[in-house]
Amino acid sequence: MSRADREPYSPSHLEAKWQTRWEEEGTNAFTREELRDASRPYYNLMMFPYPSAEGLHVGNIYAFTGADVHGRYQRLRGQEVFEPIGFDAFGIHSENFALKVGIHPMDLIPRNVANFTRQLRRVGGMFDWDHTVDTTQPDYYRWTQWLFVQLFRGGLAERKEAPVNWCPSCMTVLANEQVVAGVCERCDTPVEQRRIAQWFFKISDYAERLLQNLEHIDWSETTKKAQRNWIGRSEGAVLRFPVAGPRADRDDAAIEVFTTRPDTVFGATYMVLAPEHPLVDEVVTDHQRAEVESYRERAKRTDLVARKKAETEKTGVFTGGHCRNPATGDLIPIWIADYVLMEYGTGAIMAVPGHDERDFEFARRFDLPVVRVVRAPEEEEGAPLQEAYTGKGALVNSGEFDGLAVEEGKARITDWLGERGLAEAKVTYRLHDWCISRQRYWGPPIPIVHCPDCGPVAVPEEDLPVILPRVEDFKPDAGGVSPLARVEEWYQTTCPECGADARRETDVSDTFLDSAWYFLRYPSTDRDDVPYDPEITRKWLPVDCYIGGNEHAVLHLLYARFLTAALKDLGHLDFEEPFTKFRAHGLIIREGAKMSKSKGNVIIPDSIIEEFGADTFRTYLMFLGPFEEGGDYRDEGIHGPFGFLKRLWETVVPTDQLRKGPPEPEIEQKLHQTIAQVTEQLGDLQYNTSIAAMMEYLNAVRSGGRVAARSEVEPLAVMVAPFAPHLAEELWQRLGHEGSVFDGERWPVYDPAKAREETVTIAVQVNGKVRSTVEAPAGTGEDEVLAMARADQNVSRYLDGQDLRRVIFVPDRLLNLVIG
RNA sequence: GCCGGGGUGGCGAAACCGGUAAACGCAGGGGACUUAAAAUCCCCCGGGCUCACGCCCUUGCGGGUUCGAUUCCCGCCCCCGGCACCA
């Protein structure tokens, strides 16, 4: 057959064919029976997208492709792989976008979902379209609400006051990200804080468990580290400082502080309370009252973001009150300052300016005394402090504890104060409870009814879902309340317990709640009577492998872990960690720069798939760089993978021209080496080097224009299948096989004996510099290699007239001759 | 500031446990085939010196350990991502 007659590689034709076939034959879909009966279940999960109006982003495709490659590989190894996808469509972004374009989110979201679905199918993911979720559908959020009810009943949901960012001009609550440099991103009005009653999940009760479990789950190390930091365990002590004055003999009139440095208590020269601290009213003197009140007003007007900036200069005022340092017995002044946060610890600190940078700065500013209580090894005991000393050393000015090392001092002083009821060792966590209330429209209503007599009552499960009503005007307005609070006919109801007139909760829940459990729903989407089928859940969960971005390292992943543990404790699950393995993928940039709509450098997937095909696009994305690190998308680079797939096609088709019989020995060795490498690396998500290995192999097969043997290319067709599934299917079929290449344990096995190199090249160094190389059979001994090296002219040149002092020999690799 | 991840040819990148730095690919150059082009195949492609055999330099910078360092240790610089006074 002449070249001209050859059938060209035509990805668009071939990809459409296989996508249709997968659809028709249910190649990637599971029936309920199949889910029940699976004998080798493998749950392959990826983070579901938020369906924006712009369509699928390359970042999404990159992540999904990496996960899909993993799923397809597992499937070729004989696992039954369940790979679902869905849509996380509630939340502030959809709401704002809908407001901007003037289309109701209930109309907008289905359009976006339809567009995403179309694009996702084109990319060739192994998705089970019979098991998909959309968090905005009542049949999904019914169970999100059910979950809230379970936690509420289990005592893990509570209502308490918390500060929110408040824009006095827009009259609405803002998310932290809507506050830019202390002002509202929309109208530039300075943002204030307000306290309102909100629902919280008590994730902090689980802090220790969430931390401990990190030890035995197989997650990316960076993600685990981020979670550890976020949980922020700190060991220390709570110390009590009795308030001086008329209230001094009252038991409750002591200020509790949490400190990680109880060893420095002798150096605590003043006390600082958060402006909101309840004891402020008790300790303030009449003389200072006006000043304190005005400071508290000011603090209230500062938004939460600005208040947490470290760079701002420290401010504070004296309350006029004093308390007693429990160690020295001295009276010390009580101040308030906004750098002390009510949300952390006890909302009060003992200030040790000598050994804490913030306290030092504050003391300098307000001329408060600084006392040294720790001496660094090389310092004089009485040396004045030019800055806070936070390092190790020995205690000084600390009475009977002088001379103790910092670490020992912590325990001893805590015990000593403890004997008098003034201290106890304590562990605190930075992690705080999860606020799930949102004063917004686009979310699932929180399923609570507020009854004047019974208080907050959960909506009975049989009355779920509480449907989010279609409200045309959902814009936040002057009332400063949730949009649903303006819909009287919706919120007026009766108490499920006593029947009295009652009012529905008008806040909706946080989107993170929607996504904290979606993986439980996927296998059971056809059950409308339970959130998840117990039998199927036992079989398929926890998730075997979860792949997603590290931007969700803390919030989403921590919430999902918390919820799973809580459901276990409440008797709804029999495992407590949802994701056995988690891998974070890297970020993809383009031509060295971050992609953004404003820069106009985003990649439009549709046009690339049009031109090169989904297989090439997938392969190129995975070839860019290490999957867990990301890569730089350069437009020209796609020709590499395209050429590779095209050459693979041309090598195999037409199949009747392939040679018969076993591979040629040299090719066979390379083949087994390639299978070994690809098998090992695919398991570790090292996709770029796997692809390189296959390219190298194909180059060897085609080298010098040789005609391939069928036995040389058939294993390669299977190995590229995870990356280029359409092409692989077509080649597999043309090679004479029935059905899908993915329907069986088709992954090639390699024979280490065949992969072994018989001849090796050994580097010969003289004093660590490579001077020559010698070829020898693998396993050749030192003496023999040394003899060969000596015979080498360029080596002997250096050896002449020199003492051979040492010989280092690494079998099959290197010989280093040390002379001199 | 703190916490992560990085810095290797013109470019994206590779390198097992410390053992020939630059695999694979892009871009570039040369050649074969062709009337020609495309496709395909072959060769070259970090810098410098040399007719050449070869030699010297080179993995952000400066030290160190080692027979030998992209890899380990110490100190710095720069880039990317995240967090923000956490007591």
Side-chain angles (χ1 to χ4, degrees):
Chain A
M1 194 188 283
S2 76
R3 304 248 177 212
D5 297 334
R6 286 215 164 158
E7 191 180 343
Y9 173 48
S10 165
S12 56
H13 159 248
L14 193 145
E15 289 174 5
K17 166 183 162 183
W18 284 99
Q19 283 168 17
T20 307
R21 187 158 309 184
W22 293 335
E23 203 64 39
E24 285 169 1
E25 315 215 326
T27 307
N28 305 319
F30 283 83
T31 63
R32 193 189 292 188
E33 289 64 40
E34 285 167 341
L35 285 170
R36 285 240 163 95
D37 299 339
S39 59
R40 294 177 70 180
Y42 192 94
Y43 191 163
N44 189 46
L45 183 70
M46 60 201 83
M47 288 182 180
F48 64 165
Y50 153 73
S52 67
E54 291 93 46
L56 209 50
H57 184 263
V58 233
N60 296 134
I61 299 180
Y62 183 66
F64 298 156
T65 303
D68 187 60
V69 168
H70 179 73
R72 289 186 181 276
Y73 170 62
Q74 293 301 332
R75 188 156 166 185
L76 289 164
R77 304 207 70 185
Q79 306 277 43
E80 290 162 77
V81 178
F82 177 56
E83 187 175 297
I85 191 86
F87 305 96
D88 186 19
F90 266 137
I92 192 170
H93 290 286
S94 306
E95 185 172 318
N96 286 345
F97 187 80
L99 284 171
K100 199 172 116 194
V101 299
I103 305 175
H104 196 280
M106 287 185 178
D107 301 326
L108 189 69
I109 296 300
R111 280 189 222 173
N112 292 351
V113 165
N115 188 38
F116 262 58
T117 305
R118 179 188 63 79
Q119 289 185 306
L120 284 167
R121 285 180 198 265
R122 262 193 111 175
V123 184
M126 203 173 62
F127 301 122
D128 180 347
W129 289 105
D130 294 347
H131 291 89
T132 182
V133 302
D134 172 345
T135 57
T136 66
Q137 291 303 309
D139 64 359
Y140 181 84
Y141 72 68
R142 169 184 183 179
W143 302 112
T144 308
Q145 293 173 335
W146 175 88
L147 221 76
F148 179 93
V149 172
Q150 304 314 308
L151 267 71
F152 176 74
R153 296 227 175 96
L156 288 171
E158 70 174 335
R159 199 163 139 90
K160 60 186 180 188
E161 278 211 346
V164 292
N165 296 305
W166 175 258
C167 175
S169 161
C170 305
M171 300 291 274
T172 187
V173 173
L174 303 178
N176 279 346
E177 65 179 54
Q178 294 176 290
V179 182
V180 180
V183 301
C184 172
E185 67 169 357
R186 272 188 296 228
C187 65
D188 289 341
T189 310
V191 173
E192 302 181 352
Q193 58 167 307
R194 270 200 176 184
R195 296 183 76 82
I196 57 173
Q198 310 193 75
W199 287 99
F200 285 82
F201 283 159
K202 295 189 189 173
I203 189 173
S204 56
D205 286 4
Y206 282 71
E208 189 61 34
R209 210 156 126 201
L210 291 169
L211 184 67
Q212 289 304 322
N213 283 357
L214 288 174
E215 299 303 320
H216 53 256
I217 51 180
D218 176 19
W219 283 30
S220 291
E221 218 28 69
T222 64
T223 312
K224 292 210 271 190
K225 190 110 184 190
Q227 294 218 343
R228 282 191 197 103
N229 291 345
W230 190 261
I231 293 168
R233 183 181 203 270
S234 69
E235 267 178 56
V238 169
L239 307 186
R240 266 178 281 280
F241 285 58
V243 174
R247 299 168 289 287
D249 37 346
R250 263 175 43 193
D251 283 354
D252 59 337
I255 299 174
E256 293 201 330
V257 302
F258 173 75
T259 177
T260 55
R261 295 296 303 275
D263 56 304
T264 61
V265 63
F266 284 85
T269 54
Y270 62 101
M271 160 78 58
V272 189
L273 303 181
E276 306 87 349
H277 198 287
L279 278 175
V280 174
D281 287 327
E282 301 224 11
V283 301
V284 67
T285 57
D286 293 341
H287 183 254
Q288 292 297 103
R289 181 153 317 204
E291 211 184 328
V292 166
E293 280 314 314
S294 94
Y295 185 80
R296 293 178 94 179
E297 270 309 306
R298 203 152 20 102
K300 205 168 162 184
R301 280 201 309 270
T302 325
D303 72 280
L304 292 168
V305 177
R307 184 154 159 203
K308 289 184 175 172
K309 294 276 178 213
E311 304 94 65
T312 51
E313 206 172 337
K314 300 249 174 306
T315 60
V317 294
F318 178 43
T319 62
H322 289 80
C323 62
R324 214 167 269 289
N325 181 316
T328 61
D330 293 344
L331 280 181
I332 59 172
I334 304 172
W335 286 63
I336 59 173
D338 65 4
Y339 80 90
V340 176
L341 309 171
M342 199 59 217
E343 295 80 30
Y344 188 77
T346 62
I349 60 158
M350 66 174 198
V352 184
H355 306 285
D356 180 281
E357 279 157 27
R358 289 156 304 168
D359 297 345
F360 186 84
E361 191 192 326
F362 193 83
R364 273 289 161 89
R365 176 113 204 264
F366 297 104
D367 215 16
L368 292 155
V370 179
V371 174
R372 174 194 282 280
V373 290
V374 179
R375 178 170 56 87
E378 70 282 2
E379 282 175 327
E380 295 286 321
E381 175 161 349
L385 287 152
Q386 295 311 311
E387 56 179 8
Y389 175 71
T390 56
K392 303 268 174 222
L395 301 189
V396 293
N397 294 322
S398 297
E400 59 184 281
F401 302 98
D402 279 0
L404 286 183
V406 163
E407 278 314 309
E408 202 183 350
K410 285 182 183 174
R412 293 275 296 274
I413 290 178
T414 305
D415 289 347
W416 173 67
L417 291 174
E419 284 163 19
R420 292 185 284 143
L422 294 170
E424 64 217 37
K426 185 163 180 193
V427 173
T428 319
Y429 301 89
R430 181 185 167 280
L431 178 69
H432 47 245
D433 284 337
W434 174 13
C435 176
I436 68 142
S437 297
R438 293 293 180 272
Q439 295 71 42
R440 291 264 163 191
Y441 170 67
W442 192 232
I446 292 174
I448 287 286
V449 171
H450 295 283
C451 169
D453 300 321
C454 313
V457 177
V459 173
E461 287 175 27
E462 60 274 19
D463 294 344
L464 296 177
V466 177
I467 296 282
L468 176 70
R470 185 174 175 117
V471 177
E472 294 306 327
D473 174 26
F474 54 88
K475 204 183 292 174
D477 81 340
V481 289
S482 303
L484 290 177
R486 299 197 300 266
V487 191
E488 201 181 335
E489 63 279 14
W490 180 80
Y491 68 69
Q492 273 192 349
T493 184
T494 53
C495 172
E497 271 176 25
C498 70
D501 283 346
R503 183 186 162 107
R504 286 190 191 283
E505 169 68 61
T506 51
D507 282 356
V508 298
S509 60
D510 180 11
T511 3
F512 277 118
L513 181 58
D514 306 327
S515 58
W517 76 283
Y518 73 113
F519 53 92
L520 292 171
R521 183 64 183 163
Y522 275 142
S524 305
T525 47
D526 56 349
R527 290 289 299 263
D528 55 9
D529 53 336
V530 289
Y532 45 87
D533 179 293
E535 194 189 328
I536 287 177
T537 302
R538 250 193 310 281
K539 174 154 272 177
W540 286 87
L541 281 115
V543 167
D544 291 280
C545 179
Y546 191 21
I547 286 175
N550 227 12
E551 66 272 19
H552 293 117
V554 285
L555 297 179
H556 161 63
L557 287 169
L558 202 61
Y559 292 153
R561 293 181 60 214
F562 158 67
L563 218 76
T564 305
L567 284 173
K568 184 194 178 203
D569 291 352
L570 296 170
H572 295 295
L573 285 176
D574 55 8
F575 57 92
E576 69 180 57
E577 282 297 337
F579 316 121
T580 306
K581 172 172 169 165
F582 172 78
R583 289 294 179 272
H585 65 252
L587 240 60
I588 183 150
I589 56 171
R590 184 184 193 186
E591 312 279 350
K594 207 170 143 178
M595 277 180 275
S596 74
K597 236 192 334 176
S598 57
K599 277 191 224 148
N601 65 342
V602 292
I603 298 162
I604 313 291
D606 298 70
S607 61
I608 295 167
I609 292 174
E610 203 82 48
E611 191 176 351
F612 298 98
D615 283 339
T616 294
F617 191 36
R618 290 165 59 101
T619 307
Y620 181 45
L621 287 174
M622 296 301 101
F623 184 64
L624 287 178
F627 184 61
E628 293 177 70
E629 281 165 42
D632 188 353
Y633 188 100
R634 298 181 65 255
D635 294 3
E636 288 294 335
I638 199 165
H639 292 116
F642 180 73
F644 167 60
L645 295 181
K646 183 166 173 288
R647 283 192 292 277
L648 175 59
W649 169 268
E650 286 165 357
T651 309
V652 179
V653 178
T655 50
D656 53 15
Q657 298 203 346
L658 288 169
R659 288 194 293 107
K660 309 238 176 339
E664 196 180 293
E666 216 170 289
I667 298 296
E668 185 174 45
Q669 182 189 52
K670 188 92 187 155
L671 172 63
H672 284 268
Q673 288 171 348
T674 305
I675 299 171
Q677 184 181 343
V678 174
T679 302
E680 186 192 326
Q681 297 195 327
L682 235 42
D684 283 339
L685 275 52
Q686 291 170 28
Y687 300 143
N688 56 334
T689 46
S690 305
I691 294 167
M694 290 189 280
M695 288 174 165
E696 225 178 312
Y697 175 66
L698 185 64
N699 289 346
V701 167
R702 293 168 60 87
S703 166
R706 71 186 282 282
V707 175
R710 178 202 171 87
S711 56
E712 292 166 357
V713 291
E714 197 169 282
L716 183 59
V718 177
M719 284 192 285
V720 293
F723 300 97
H726 313 85
L727 173 62
E729 290 276 36
E730 184 69 21
L731 294 179
W732 186 252
Q733 189 187 57
R734 287 176 186 246
L735 285 164
H737 301 282
E738 289 290 321
S740 168
V741 67
F742 296 101
D743 282 341
E745 206 169 336
R746 301 265 154 73
W747 194 256
V749 283
Y750 72 97
D751 180 347
K754 287 183 178 156
R756 195 173 302 128
E757 284 293 346
E758 268 139 43
T759 307
V760 292
T761 308
I762 298 171
V764 180
Q765 298 182 337
V766 178
N767 282 352
K769 286 186 190 268
V770 179
R771 295 302 176 193
S772 184
T773 57
V774 296
E775 301 274 322
T780 305
E782 178 175 337
D783 295 344
E784 232 171 304
V785 175
L786 182 58
M788 291 165 82
R790 280 185 189 281
D792 186 288
Q793 199 189 342
N794 201 43
V795 174
S796 59
R797 203 149 69 81
Y798 287 90
L799 261 38
D800 279 352
Q802 301 281 340
D803 282 350
L804 186 57
R805 297 200 168 179
R806 208 174 144 189
V807 176
I808 286 121
F809 179 66
V810 182
D812 295 349
R813 297 217 65 127
L814 165 140
L815 181 75
N816 187 9
L817 306 174
V818 185
I819 59 170

